[in-house]
Amino acid sequence: MSVSMKNVDVAFQNVGQKVGMEIWRIENFNPVPVPKSGHGRFYSRDSYIILKTTALKSGILHHDIHFWLGKDTTQDTEGTASMKSVELDAALGGRAVQHREVQGHETDKFLTYFRPCIIPLQGSFSSGYIKIEAQKHETRLFMSKGKRVVRVTEVPFARSSLTHEDIFILDTKSKIFQFNGVKSNIHERAKALDAVQYIEHNYHEGKCDIAIVEDGKLVADADTGEFWAQFGGYAPIPRKGAVEDDSQAELGSTMFLLVDGKLKEVGSSPFKRETLRTEKCYILDCGAEIYVWAGRETSLDERKNAMLAAEDHITNTKTSHTHLTRVIEGFEPWTFKSNFDVWPSSTGTAVSEEGRGKVAALLKQQGFNVKGLIKAAPPAKEVVPPLLDNSGKLKVWRVMGDSKTQIFAEEHGKFYSGDCYIVLYTYPGDRKEDYLLCSWFGKHSTEKDQAVASSLAGAMTDSMRGRPILARIIEGKEPAQFIALFQKLIILKGGHSPGYKDMIATKGIEDETYSETSVALFHVHGTSFHNAHAVQVNAVATSLNSSYSFILQTETSLLLWYGTFGTQEEQQVAAHLATFLKPDTTAKSLKEGSEPSSFWSALGGKSEYPSQREAKEAEKDPRLFVCTSMTDTLEVIEVFNYTQDDLVGDDVLILCTYGEVFIWIGQATSSREKKQGFSYGQKYLERASQLEGISQDIPIYKILEGCEPSFFTCYFTWDATKNTVITNSFDRKLALLQGRPIPIVEPLQRRLSSSLEKIDNAASKSSRRIERGIENARRAHRKSAVSALTSIFNLSTIADNSMNSPSQISPAASTDSRSTYNGADEKFSLSLEVSSAISEDILKVDVEEKDTEPVSTMEIDETQKHATFPYERLKAGAKNPISGIDITRRESYLSPSDFQKIFYMDRTQFDELPKWKQDKFKKAVDLF
């Protein structure tokens, strides 16, 4: 960029050189610094410039510039904020991303700087600060939205503003009310409570009562009555009508080239990276978002003109609060790249290093302090990541056809490149055992073997009630926690599975499967137990490298070859791994240059080989995304400046560390979302590989809420106490706010394990007390219970002979239920978490019939006898149905064995029933 520092405001000299935030307010067309005590306090008639500086893992300082426009700001002040933002970027070397923020429509990233929320004040700081602060308190009504970042917007103080779907905050002089619409989200209620506390602290000096008002609650609640009195008395809230959608219609994206201050259309989505020229400025109109892209060789004036052209485009074609983001070539964010079909991964790195040097030199000539700008990345240090407890039990299976074969313990750690494996590690958890279940795919394994491995791992997870952390690992991308399980890990050529053997036979490929008597060369990697492994390579001299250590195996010997530029740690790892290949053979060490002729003979002769170490990829900061939908493609929204609180239980989130991908699934998500865990990760990697060059082979983990391992929680400031479930996050915060003790309950992980244990052990805990309870309650409540069940599921009365005695009761009640009996009330209930439910197939009656009149429940003559038929011919929708029977009493025609199979299912199956069936079944079960 051709920068003349004469055009840069002196207020921006030496800024952005340390991590933190700096804010300027526009006064008389000049930026005036705002003291830290005033950060987060904005006025509706003012405009501000906010600089956020963060340190990346690479050691580089990253800058985001936001210019915030109050809803009552003047056009001149708005224009000044926009132009001064461009100057600030120039002072920082032209590397910052710029964002246009409009009051009430700020970006999520901006709002995360000022948690829990921002509530702009009316007026202007320069003209009325003292007056506004001193004036009498005015009752205000706010709407609060957001599960992660809170958007607090002032709405008219009127009953008509209230809705059943949203959350409102009524700020009066003596009390703050939070009104929770009956249809509002529980997580949004918790976030709104944060906003309530913010108002209490900032506008009431922390001396104000707080009351919660639940929509529809009118009786015996003084706070509710007081709330409605503020609106002149209670009146029903009307249903929410059609709301005008002020978002921009997604009609496709358009790209414009800036030519002499005017926009010239040059293409539509999907865009090509090749269209962008380094000496030009472009504008991308993506509907609700406008991007200005400036090439590296554009001047400061050209960038200012591009911003003005974008502002004019918004004024002429968009709503005033449309988001505007300006990016510089080489520093494009994910959101910008996602508008292109493919984004070359090499562009950003080269530009970054080159640009930093050129800009630093130029700024230094102009007299600026460039210490922060030219700061080099610190040398990489060996860091041992969080690992699993090493006292657990390890089991390994190789996929053989459609089944798996267990591997002997002495062979654990030897993986063949043509095979697939399943690895189960059981280790001590907080109270019970935890599990890591991995599917490992060799590079040369067949797709069929990979599919079988995934299927078998999935079946194992189901059999273990979904408790394991599930992982997909591909050869060459083994993570530290996987390698550490074995201590010695060696990847061998070839394979033993029938699928691999058939594949090489079909393609006419020579079988190179490793054997202890053949010549084999191994490239040693790693310096410690968590990353030490060896990979078999072609046994030729060109495979060597002076920067590494290698193991050469012959029929009778083991040779350790140490490259000149290798490290001592790698040499120790090589010696350690050699004992795994041939435990009874003593390895001989060779330094590069001292090899005997037999060494080169084993490799087919001496030849040249490389000496440089493989370049390591620069570390990148992890990123968190919320999955919004998944059809053919995955749609995600990035969560900026994320915390543990952003892991909301009714969402699926993706944490990408660039070396691993974690799929975190909340407990409140649907069964369909839980099953699609790996699909989310695979879809994400497909797109990330196109935009950022991330390998699609990096490990994918599927983690259920409450079962987070240490190698996941290390990316958060993790508070283990938040893993304690009361009822929900809102109740927890409310208890803390009101000074009530928080009930001590088991963490979610323990609670799940405890419930599952009850299910697994329920049959063995049945007793005569259960039988007596069933027998005593049977006659008293038989008619009402069966009537309820038949009404729900359109089934007839269960034949009397199935309930004549305790020994003949339904297996669902006698073997898989824990019961309690109250003799006084003659009530018998089944605990929901251990009760059996009616199977999904038998419930496949027409849904339209679920609200019809219940079938008669008159008694059946016990002497009545009729034939029995197979279930497949009795169920609804049978291909060959039985005729001449009473279809409302199909279950009475089942054989005893079919009856037992159909009317039994475990808790997982029950959870997969539609919600209406679960709710009605619970009510019916209580009658027993």
Side-chain angles (χ1 to χ4, degrees):
M1 174 179 65
S2 301
V3 182
S4 174
M5 303 312 295
K6 296 178 181 178
N7 297 327
V8 176
D9 199 292
V10 294
F12 299 140
Q13 186 170 353
N14 299 329
V15 300
Q17 297 185 30
K18 59 182 180 179
V19 173
M21 185 185 299
E22 297 168 83
I23 301 179
W24 297 264
R25 182 175 49 257
I26 302 301
E27 294 184 11
N28 298 322
F29 306 102
N30 293 309
V32 177
V34 176
K36 287 187 177 181
S37 59
H39 288 188
R41 188 182 292 268
F42 298 92
Y43 289 83
S44 63
R45 290 180 58 188
D46 291 336
S47 294
Y48 298 79
I49 297 174
I50 299 92
L51 171 62
K52 179 68 172 178
T53 304
T54 54
L56 304 181
K57 277 192 171 183
S58 61
I60 300 174
L61 294 178
H62 173 78
H63 303 291
D64 280 286
I65 299 173
H66 304 257
F67 57 99
W68 186 90
L69 310 175
K71 63 182 180 66
D72 301 320
T73 193
T74 65
Q75 189 172 358
D76 289 341
T77 304
E78 177 181 337
T80 301
S82 177
M83 294 302 97
K84 291 300 179 180
S85 295
V86 178
E87 292 181 24
L88 174 58
D89 174 58
L92 295 168
R95 302 175 293 126
V97 178
Q98 293 183 42
H99 312 265
R100 177 180 184 263
E101 310 285 353
V102 178
Q103 180 181 343
H105 302 276
E106 295 85 357
T107 60
D108 287 355
K109 188 170 192 175
F110 180 78
L111 291 175
T112 62
Y113 303 158
F114 306 99
R115 295 181 190 268
C117 64
I118 59 172
I119 302 179
L121 299 170
Q122 297 295 324
S124 170
F125 174 87
S126 58
S127 63
Y129 173 71
I130 298 177
K131 181 180 178 182
I132 290 174
E133 292 298 307
Q135 66 180 238
K136 184 170 77 172
H137 185 278
E138 179 182 354
T139 299
R140 296 183 294 174
L141 182 65
F142 301 95
M143 178 188 290
S144 177
K145 284 183 173 290
K147 293 194 297 184
R148 292 180 175 82
V149 293
V150 185
R151 299 177 184 276
V152 180
T153 308
E154 187 170 357
V155 296
F157 176 30
R159 184 188 295 109
S160 58
S161 297
L162 302 176
T163 67
H164 294 297
E165 292 78 13
D166 297 308
I167 302 159
F168 295 85
I169 300 171
L170 180 62
D171 178 22
T172 70
K173 184 177 181 179
S174 59
K175 186 176 289 189
I176 304 173
F177 298 88
Q178 176 173 324
F179 175 83
N180 297 327
V182 68
K183 297 182 181 178
S184 60
N185 182 278
I186 195 67
H187 301 290
E188 290 195 54
R189 295 182 187 185
K191 284 296 182 181
L193 201 55
D194 291 338
V196 168
Q197 292 176 271
Y198 173 85
I199 294 173
E200 178 196 23
H201 177 75
N202 288 276
Y203 299 100
H204 297 270
E205 298 180 348
K207 301 175 182 178
C208 185
D209 293 332
I210 295 175
I212 306 299
V213 178
E214 298 294 342
D215 186 10
K217 182 179 180 182
L218 301 176
V219 182
D221 191 327
D223 289 332
T224 301
E226 187 178 349
F227 172 80
W228 286 112
Q230 297 287 334
F231 295 91
Y234 172 77
I237 299 175
R239 289 188 177 183
K240 191 173 183 179
V243 179
E244 182 180 353
D245 185 5
D246 58 3
S247 63
Q248 310 299 318
E250 297 292 341
L251 300 177
S253 303
T254 307
M255 182 187 292
F256 300 92
L257 171 65
L258 185 64
V259 181
D260 298 328
K262 297 182 180 180
L263 299 183
K264 176 184 177 182
E265 185 173 339
V266 293
S268 57
S269 60
F271 302 122
K272 302 290 185 181
R273 171 62 181 88
E274 295 76 18
T275 304
L276 304 175
R277 295 164 56 186
T278 190
E279 72 280 3
K280 299 291 183 180
C281 289
Y282 296 82
I283 293 177
L284 271 67
D285 182 348
C286 302
E289 188 88 30
I290 302 291
Y291 292 96
V292 174
W293 183 88
R296 279 181 295 153
E297 298 180 13
T298 55
S299 67
L300 180 59
D301 288 338
E302 287 175 321
R303 296 180 183 185
K304 286 184 176 181
N305 291 335
M307 291 295 288
L308 289 174
E311 294 271 7
D312 290 341
H313 182 68
I314 291 174
T315 302
N316 296 330
T317 64
K318 304 289 179 181
T319 57
S320 61
H321 56 259
T322 300
H323 291 157
L324 172 61
T325 304
R326 197 218 66 180
V327 299
I328 300 297
E329 180 182 4
F331 299 93
E332 298 87 352
W334 168 285
T335 51
F336 177 83
K337 295 177 182 178
S338 63
N339 294 289
F340 292 76
D341 53 354
V342 177
W343 191 271
S345 59
S346 59
T347 304
T349 303
V351 172
S352 171
E353 296 305 316
E354 179 185 354
R356 283 174 63 212
K358 288 184 177 180
V359 171
L362 179 59
L363 293 180
K364 190 172 183 179
Q365 291 177 1
Q366 298 290 335
F368 280 82
N369 185 342
V370 296
K371 182 179 178 181
L373 180 63
I374 62 177
K375 182 180 178 182
K381 295 182 180 180
E382 182 73 19
V383 178
V384 179
L387 304 172
L388 299 178
D389 186 290
N390 62 1
S391 62
K393 301 175 183 178
L394 184 65
K395 291 184 178 181
V396 182
W397 296 266
R398 179 188 288 121
V399 172
M400 300 291 286
D402 294 328
S403 60
K404 65 184 189 295
T405 302
Q406 189 165 350
I407 304 298
F408 292 116
E410 54 268 23
E411 293 296 306
H412 287 178
K414 292 182 180 179
F415 291 85
Y416 287 82
S417 187
D419 293 338
C420 292
Y421 295 81
I422 297 173
V423 178
L424 175 63
Y425 184 63
T426 306
Y427 59 99
D430 290 339
R431 178 177 171 183
K432 295 185 65 64
E433 293 178 329
D434 288 332
Y435 306 92
L436 173 64
L437 182 60
C438 306
S439 299
W440 186 91
F441 301 159
K443 281 187 176 179
H444 300 104
S445 61
T446 66
E447 291 184 2
K448 180 182 177 182
D449 282 351
Q450 293 176 11
V452 171
S454 299
S455 177
L456 292 174
M460 292 174 68
T461 302
D462 292 341
S463 68
M464 301 167 73
R465 311 289 182 177
R467 284 174 282 185
I469 300 162
L470 206 55
R472 185 218 68 179
I473 298 173
I474 295 179
E475 178 188 340
K477 298 293 182 180
E478 293 84 3
Q481 54 269 12
F482 181 81
I483 296 176
L485 298 180
F486 299 94
Q487 305 291 312
K488 299 176 182 179
L489 182 67
I490 297 181
I491 311 300
L492 305 168
K493 283 193 170 189
H496 295 281
S497 74
Y500 174 77
K501 298 297 185 182
D502 291 343
M503 184 267 293
I504 61 173
T506 302
K507 295 183 176 181
I509 301 174
E510 181 183 356
D511 190 351
E512 297 181 324
T513 300
Y514 165 83
S515 71
E516 293 185 359
T517 58
S518 62
V519 175
L521 183 65
F522 298 89
H523 186 170
V524 177
H525 300 266
T527 58
S528 182
F529 72 96
H530 69 278
N531 58 17
H533 64 289
V535 180
Q536 186 177 357
V537 295
N538 292 333
V540 292
T542 53
S543 297
L544 299 173
N545 187 309
S546 299
S547 294
Y548 294 95
S549 296
F550 289 78
I551 302 173
L552 177 62
Q553 170 193 288
T554 66
E555 184 176 355
T556 58
S557 64
L558 279 177
L559 301 175
L560 305 180
W561 185 86
Y562 301 144
T564 301
F565 306 115
T567 66
Q568 184 176 359
E569 291 81 6
E570 288 174 331
Q571 294 175 8
Q572 293 173 348
V573 167
H576 178 66
L577 292 175
T579 60
F580 190 29
L581 288 171
K582 287 190 173 185
D584 299 329
T585 303
T586 301
K588 180 180 179 181
S589 299
L590 295 174
K591 290 186 177 181
E592 182 179 6
S594 63
E595 305 88 352
S597 57
S598 58
F599 176 86
W600 298 114
S601 297
L603 296 178
K606 188 175 182 178
S607 61
E608 293 185 359
Y609 49 84
S611 60
Q612 293 184 345
R613 186 172 290 270
E614 299 171 1
K616 287 186 177 181
E617 294 184 5
E619 280 192 275
K620 296 182 180 180
D621 292 73
R623 304 170 71 183
L624 186 68
F625 299 89
V626 181
C627 301
T628 56
S629 66
M630 187 175 73
T631 51
D632 292 335
T633 59
L634 175 66
E635 296 182 16
V636 296
I637 298 176
E638 185 167 3
V639 180
F640 298 102
N641 302 309
Y642 63 83
T643 68
Q644 181 182 352
D645 290 337
D646 291 315
L647 301 175
V648 177
D650 54 8
D651 285 331
V652 175
L653 292 99
I654 296 176
L655 176 66
C656 175
T657 69
Y658 290 87
E660 298 168 303
V661 167
F662 298 89
I663 312 301
W664 184 91
I665 302 175
Q667 288 285 354
T669 55
S670 67
S671 57
R672 177 175 174 271
E673 289 174 311
K674 290 183 175 71
K675 290 180 179 179
Q676 286 186 324
F678 277 113
S679 298
Y680 285 106
Q682 291 165 346
K683 290 286 186 182
Y684 169 78
L685 284 178
E686 287 175 8
R687 190 60 176 143
S689 67
Q690 296 172 334
L691 300 182
E692 300 192 271
I694 299 176
S695 170
Q696 294 191 48
D697 292 343
I698 64 175
I700 300 176
Y701 300 90
K702 176 183 173 182
I703 299 174
L704 191 64
E705 179 185 6
C707 302
E708 297 87 354
S710 59
F711 55 86
F712 172 81
T713 59
C714 66
Y715 293 102
F716 300 81
T717 302
W718 196 261
D719 181 358
T721 63
K722 290 183 179 180
N723 204 26
T724 300
V725 178
I726 304 172
T727 301
N728 50 57
S729 56
F730 172 69
D731 286 346
R732 176 185 175 83
K733 287 186 177 180
L734 185 59
L736 290 171
L737 178 63
Q738 295 177 341
R740 294 186 285 107
I742 300 176
I744 300 176
V745 295
E746 292 182 315
L748 179 59
Q749 185 177 9
R750 294 181 184 176
R751 201 162 139 272
L752 288 172
S753 299
S754 178
S755 296
L756 293 167
E757 182 182 14
K758 291 178 184 178
I759 297 174
D760 294 336
N761 299 332
S764 63
K765 295 182 179 180
S766 296
S767 66
R768 280 180 290 182
R769 180 177 59 85
I770 297 177
E771 297 177 357
R772 288 196 302 269
I774 296 172
E775 181 65 14
N776 292 336
R778 179 181 62 82
R779 293 184 176 87
H781 297 277
R782 180 178 182 280
K783 288 186 178 181
S784 54
V786 175
S787 176
L789 287 171
T790 56
S791 174
I792 297 167
F793 302 119
N794 292 305
L795 301 174
S796 69
T797 314
I798 300 174
D800 281 4
N801 58 9
S802 68
M803 297 185 69
N804 272 342
S805 67
S807 62
Q808 292 176 311
I809 59 175
S810 168
S814 64
T815 61
D816 287 293
S817 304
R818 172 178 292 180
S819 60
T820 57
Y821 176 67
N822 186 324
D825 296 331
E826 293 188 340
K827 290 183 179 179
F828 172 70
S829 64
L830 296 178
S831 173
L832 176 61
E833 65 180 349
V834 296
S835 65
S836 300
I838 298 177
S839 73
E840 185 68 14
D841 285 335
I842 202 68
L843 297 179
K844 288 180 180 176
V845 293
D846 294 337
V847 176
E848 293 79 1
E849 297 178 4
K850 67 178 181 293
D851 294 324
T852 59
E853 290 296 320
V855 180
S856 172
T857 59
M858 68 179 186
E859 297 290 327
I860 301 174
D861 185 356
E862 295 184 10
T863 61
Q864 180 181 348
K865 304 294 182 181
H866 54 66
T868 59
F869 301 97
Y871 164 69
E872 293 299 326
R873 298 187 63 189
L874 287 171
K875 69 178 182 179
K879 295 182 179 179
N880 182 23
I882 298 294
S883 58
I885 64 172
D886 184 351
I887 62 171
T888 66
R889 299 170 51 198
R890 284 173 292 181
E891 81 290 347
S892 64
Y893 295 89
L894 287 169
S895 66
S897 59
D898 280 345
F899 186 93
Q900 178 172 350
K901 287 189 295 183
I902 294 165
F903 278 77
Y904 171 81
M905 67 177 171
D906 59 29
R907 175 62 188 271
T908 301
Q909 293 170 302
F910 176 82
D911 288 341
E912 294 176 356
L913 292 178
K915 185 68 165 58
W916 69 268
K917 291 181 181 177
Q918 291 184 6
D919 292 341
K920 291 193 174 184
F921 179 75
K922 294 175 191 176
K923 295 177 182 178
V925 160
D926 286 340
L927 295 174
F928 273 102

